[in-house]
Amino acid sequence: MASDDDAPVVALAGLPNVGKSTVFNLLTGLSQHVGNWPGKTIEQKTGVLHDNGLTIQLVDLPGTYSLTANSVEEQIARDYLVKEKPDLVVAVLNAASMERSLYLVAELIELAPRLVIALNMTDVARQEGTKVDAKALEAALNITVVPMVASRNQGVKDLVKVIGQEYSQPTVARVVRHIESGSETEADISHIARLLTDEDTAPYPRHWAATKLLEGDEQINRLLRERVSEARWSEIDSFLKDRESAAIVIAGLRFDWVRKILLTAQEKPPIGQVSITERLDRAATHPLFGLIILLMVMGLAFAVVYGIGVPVQQFLQVSVVERMQALVFGEMTFLPGWLQGLLGDGILGGVGMVLTFVPILFLFFVAWGFLEDVGYTARVAFVTDRYMHAIGLHGKSSLPLMLGFGCNVPAVMGTRIIESRRARLLTVLVAPLIPCTGRMAVIAVIAAALFGGRAILVTVGVIALSLVVLALLGFFLNRFVLGGKRAALMMELPLYHSPSPRTIGLGAWQRTAAFIKRAGTVILIVSIVVWALSYFPGGSIEESYLADIGRWLEPVGKLMGLNWQAMVALLTSFVAKENTIATLGVLLGQNEAGLNEALRAMLTPAAGIAFLVAQVLFVPCAATVACIRQETGSWRWMAFSLGLQLVLSLGLAIVVFQVAKLVGVGV
Amino acid sequence: MGSERVEEYLEAIFKRQAKETPVSTSALAEDLKVSLPAVTDMMKRLQDSGFIEYEPNKGVSLTGEGRQKAVSIVRRHRLWERFLTDILGLKWDKAHEEACRLEHATSPETEDRLASLIGDADTCPHGHPIPDKDGNVPEQGVRPLSDFKSRQKVCISAIAREDAVVLRKVEKLGLKPGSVVSIDSKGSGGSMKLKFGDRKLVVEGDIAEDLLATPFVGEEREVSAEEAVPISALRAGESAVVKSYAGGRGMLGRCLSMGFTPGSQVRMIENYRRGPILVSVCGSEVALGREIAGRIMVSRKRP
């Protein structure tokens, strides 16, 4: 609708882990758009709310603890408030963590003239023994407060009503009473503000900019240093140098304000009472028991995901994709041969095969969403921190890496939760070494064909190898490429709470939808290109460009005991990892039973292992590569990642085969 | 001249570099208590070995290699000082002298054992950061006490010059890293009147220059002689009050918005030797890496 663009804009602000996205989802339903903030790789969600003739545009600001530019998220949030001037800001607060939530409100009231408070997670607060009196809070703040339990869909109607009221009866804009008024800092802030002009600080309010200068905000500092004349700046700068502890004083003032409000509005459990979360965490964050719990949780999650997902995938592959392929080649003989090939081998064999993995992925995302929603994933980051330390990462990196076991695409995108750019880049570079569902499927089929009873051992071995390579790579990249300085860990562990099926379902759906969208674009195009290479000019794969490339690569293949067919199979895994099997099927024999025998004839055990090693470490699939380019924002790092894995996979496979040959095992 | 002498020089240059780069040869002569010609002579030698860059009228600065060597000496020196004071109970000045000798005869293995025996301590007894194994020296963001103004409250973080006379004087005053003092007034010759808990102290001008401090902000009633320790020194279950933040401003903003402001209550939930710690602050749990945990200074609450 064209008129939506003129509709009033409401921005949602809040801390991380306060259920802000859940509130956003409830307000917009599925009519939302997920993109990036301009120039940043931080997710931006926008949507439209229709209610009773009311149309409102909603913007979900990144979760932040403050509005000082300590992180990109904070910079985005405040720049949006200042530059875009939303008509109304809804501050989503966590009733179980009021001090920190109100600290943000103390900053918001300076930049958002119209503010409404959504007091979320009142159920979690109650469970922890904390009671927040919404009426008292409203009176103390002089801001409308709506109590909510967003995960149970409670209070949403009230919030919509309040948003509507704010428009129908425009209240007088609040006079901002600055947090420092009456304190010694007031004079300091006014002094700096007097040294500046409104043009200097535009678009930021002058008083606010002066406060931020005093707080040591680097972005504002840089901005003003450029704009203000040297003489004036040196005066400001020396004034600031004498007040280095002002940041602490100002933060203290904000917390004093917060505590004063909470005196009347909050009832805390008696001191000394150990919360449920803390009791659970004694085990869940213990260096040893925590790790055991983590392994058990992950084991269970994978068992459920694969237990349900694999039969569904098999069904889709055999009964849908393969049947449709049979239809194309058997019944549609009226089509020219190349079109049959394009439909059957190119599209169905490429994209179709990739899509059969969607149910497994979806289940994986559900399991992940569940762990995220109950609050467990933050504990995973905590427990793994000491190990990630060794490879130059910190605990938060382990979350996207675990997502990588499902699919490398969300893993690379998931690195956005890591604040430090260096740690993020490192995580992006090692993430493709996590064996994803697709790669595991290939390993499972080939290991079963070649090694029979010992297949499990080989599979586990190959996966373990891939993880060892990941750790070593992380260590070396950190040491020698990225310069070895690590960002410090600082992370809030949210309170445990019961999961909301709605949040989990929607999250899993959004992640899966992003994957399907990719399958429809990048994977489709690459599938068609690779198919064309495998069909033209001869009309069959044996006489195609791809076969030419494979034969040209055969000397390299020989070093690891592989013939050109195996090299081609490796190459086609670039489209999607699962393609390796499909390609081998085309090149060797059509049905599955035939494939097993053909594989045994083609690969000696040593060559088989070399092939699996090459496959598991090979360059990531096209979709992941596209993602790496997007997330690093650099062609150079993308090329680096590609080259690195190419060298690693072929190099290690050659070593494996040559050593086996030397020792005389399995040749 | 032996390698011991070379190490002494590198160490002295490294320490001086914190204040001025390039370092003047006369400052080195003063620090090392040797004649100026001897220093110039040594500088040429060190330059030939590739440890320093030396420009006769400007001064010297360490090369990458020189810095690496110097940092490793400094690390051993400060580890030994910790060991000598904390475990053997030596006095500050004596510990410094002993460490000067022991640092040159320490194998990497002994160094590792010392580090693990000392465990969590990340500064020497005089408050200087112990560089880690990779040669990173935590930044402290400190200024001499003499730079602060009257009526400012500061937290002493280190003693700049590890000279026996200076150390003895400071020890006698009862000041140590972590002590919180307020500046009463400034007298002639840079001397300063301080309030330290219930006591009043007078610090001579040269000592005031040698005491390094950070601004301190906290509630009035809590300013006392009681010791501030890094939050990572708390054991699981212990409660404390945040006193100050030592070190650069890098993470200060984030610490503040997470609720680590002077006066706020914290309780340690998990603290195992290595790895991150888990602290309860502002009603929820926050995980902190050791690097930051070492900078948040707290004082224990008496049960």
Side-chain angles (χ1 to χ4, degrees), chain A residues 422 477-486, chain B residues 136:
Chain A
R422 206 194 63 85
L477 285 180
N478 177 49
R479 216 51 207 277
F480 302 111
V481 181
L482 297 171
K485 253 210 147 188
R486 235 175 54 94
Chain B
N136 300 318

Side-chain angles (χ1 to χ4, degrees), chain A residues 554-612:
Chain A
E554 205 164 15
V556 183
K558 279 256 163 61
L559 290 174
M560 39 188 162
L562 302 181
N563 56 12
W564 68 268
Q565 287 95 333
M567 291 307 282
V568 170
L570 206 55
L571 283 181
T572 53
S573 77
F574 179 65
V575 180
K577 293 289 153 186
E578 305 80 4
N579 274 9
T580 303
I581 301 293
T583 309
L584 284 175
V586 174
L587 290 173
L588 297 175
Q590 296 298 334
N591 56 34
E592 208 159 311
L595 182 61
N596 280 358
E597 258 167 52
L599 276 175
R600 271 195 292 274
M602 184 178 94
L603 299 166
T604 60
I609 296 209
F611 183 65
L612 289 178

Side-chain angles (χ1 to χ4, degrees), chain B residues 16 19 30-31 33 81 91-94 96-97 125-126 128 145 156 158-177 202-212:
Chain B
R16 267 281 164 188
K19 285 180 244 167
E30 189 191 325
D31 287 356
K33 300 192 173 69
E81 281 186 332
K91 288 246 178 221
W92 276 7
D93 53 324
K94 194 78 189 136
H96 173 68
E97 279 172 33
H126 317 114
H128 298 287
L145 182 64
I156 305 290
I159 295 125
R161 206 147 44 102
E162 295 181 71
D163 170 89
V165 182
V166 176
L167 291 177
R168 263 197 298 264
K169 278 185 181 167
V170 175
E171 205 168 15
K172 223 169 155 189
L173 287 167
L175 293 173
K176 40 179 148 171
V202 178
V203 177
E204 295 161 40
D206 52 346
I207 301 286
E209 261 167 53
D210 278 328
L211 285 172
L212 300 177

Side-chain angles (χ1 to χ4, degrees), chain B residues 6-71:
Chain B
V6 171
E7 291 178 348
E8 290 275 292
Y9 268 89
L10 291 175
E11 193 182 353
I13 300 171
F14 176 78
K15 285 183 184 164
R16 267 281 164 188
Q17 271 192 346
K19 285 180 244 167
E20 45 168 335
T21 27
V23 175
S24 71
T25 40
S26 52
L28 282 179
E30 189 191 325
D31 287 356
L32 290 161
K33 300 192 173 69
V34 289
S35 70
L36 197 53
V39 174
T40 351
D41 190 41
M42 189 61 170
M43 288 306 110
K44 286 182 191 131
R45 247 175 253 231
L46 288 177
Q47 187 173 32
D48 291 343
S49 328
F51 290 132
I52 59 165
E53 274 168 50
Y54 174 44
E55 278 180 72
N57 289 317
K58 282 189 177 162
V60 296
S61 55
L62 290 170
T63 60
E65 200 186 344
R67 183 184 181 279
Q68 210 177 356
K69 207 167 164 68
V71 171

Side-chain angles (χ1 to χ4, degrees), chain B residues 75-128:
Chain B
R75 174 173 159 84
R76 278 178 261 157
H77 180 95
R78 292 181 181 163
L79 285 171
W80 273 120
E81 281 186 332
R82 263 284 161 214
F83 174 80
L84 293 169
T85 52
D86 293 9
I87 294 169
L88 300 187
L90 256 60
K91 288 246 178 221
W92 276 7
D93 53 324
K94 194 78 189 136
H96 173 68
E97 279 172 33
E98 291 280 0
C100 280
R101 281 195 287 278
L102 288 164
E103 69 193 28
H104 306 293
T106 310
S107 67
E109 197 186 350
T110 309
E111 180 189 320
D112 284 348
R113 293 286 171 94
L114 267 179
S116 69
L117 180 68
I118 285 155
D120 283 335
D122 44 21
T123 63
C124 78
H126 317 114
H128 298 287

Side-chain angles (χ1 to χ4, degrees), chain A residues 253-549:
Chain A
L253 287 171
R254 291 201 188 105
F255 274 110
D256 286 346
W257 177 83
V258 167
R259 286 177 190 131
K260 212 157 62 196
I261 289 169
L262 289 179
L263 272 182
T264 55
Q266 178 179 256
E267 216 176 286
K268 274 252 179 198
I271 296 172
Q273 189 177 316
V274 178
S275 71
I276 301 164
T277 292
E278 208 182 309
R279 243 174 285 168
L280 284 172
D281 271 346
R282 294 239 168 104
T285 61
H286 188 275
L288 180 64
F289 304 132
L291 202 62
I292 294 171
I293 292 173
L294 171 64
L295 291 176
M296 276 165 35
V297 167
M298 288 299 150
L300 188 70
F302 278 112
V304 172
V305 168
Y306 288 123
I308 305 174
V310 170
V312 177
Q313 189 271 331
Q314 286 295 318
F315 169 80
L316 287 176
Q317 184 184 339
V318 175
S319 307
V320 181
V321 175
E322 283 175 10
R323 196 171 288 175
M324 281 166 77
Q325 279 177 315
L327 205 72
V328 169
F329 290 112
E331 307 293 325
M332 299 165 84
T333 41
F334 53 87
L335 292 174
W338 67 267
L339 192 55
Q340 270 184 319
L342 173 64
L343 285 176
D345 288 334
I347 296 175
L348 283 171
V351 177
M353 205 56 94
V354 172
L355 287 178
T356 61
F357 282 86
V358 165
I360 299 185
L361 266 187
F362 180 75
L363 286 169
F364 187 86
F365 293 143
V366 167
W368 186 254
F370 175 84
L371 295 177
E372 217 164 34
D373 201 43
V374 296
Y376 184 67
T377 49
R379 275 75 190 177
V380 174
F382 184 83
V383 170
T384 51
D385 187 71
R386 60 190 71 223
Y387 306 100
M388 303 302 280
H389 226 106
I391 60 171
L393 296 173
H394 61 59
K396 274 193 188 171
S397 300
S398 60
L399 304 182
L401 292 184
M402 283 187 189
L403 264 175
F405 283 103
C407 172
N408 286 174
V409 170
V412 173
M413 290 191 5
T415 57
R416 290 177 176 192
I417 58 164
I418 303 161
E419 295 102 7
S420 123
R421 173 155 168 83
R422 206 194 63 85
R424 213 180 128 182
L425 181 61
L426 189 53
T427 315
V428 168
L429 291 177
V430 299
L433 285 167
I434 297 279
C436 64
T437 332
R439 259 174 277 190
M440 296 236 213
V442 174
I443 298 167
V445 169
I446 293 180
L450 291 178
F451 300 99
R454 272 176 293 173
I456 301 269
L457 206 68
V458 172
T459 307
V460 171
V462 170
I463 292 170
L465 174 84
S466 157
L467 296 181
V468 168
V469 171
L470 183 151
L472 290 176
L473 186 66
F475 179 80
F476 282 109
L477 285 180
N478 177 49
R479 216 51 207 277
F480 302 111
V481 181
L482 297 171
K485 253 210 147 188
R486 235 175 54 94
L489 174 80
M490 180 182 274
M491 172 183 65
E492 187 183 6
L493 303 194
L495 295 167
Y496 289 109
H497 55 91
S498 53
S500 138
R502 213 189 147 99
T503 310
I504 298 170
L506 198 67
W509 162 245
Q510 279 170 346
R511 280 185 173 132
T512 313
F515 179 81
I516 293 175
K517 207 168 122 195
R518 240 163 238 287
T521 51
V522 180
I523 303 183
L524 179 66
I525 293 166
V526 181
S527 294
I528 292 173
V529 170
V530 172
W531 169 81
L533 283 176
S534 74
Y535 187 82
F536 297 107
S540 69
I541 197 162
E542 290 85 354
E543 296 162 40
S544 67
Y545 293 122
L546 198 61
D548 289 344
I549 300 172

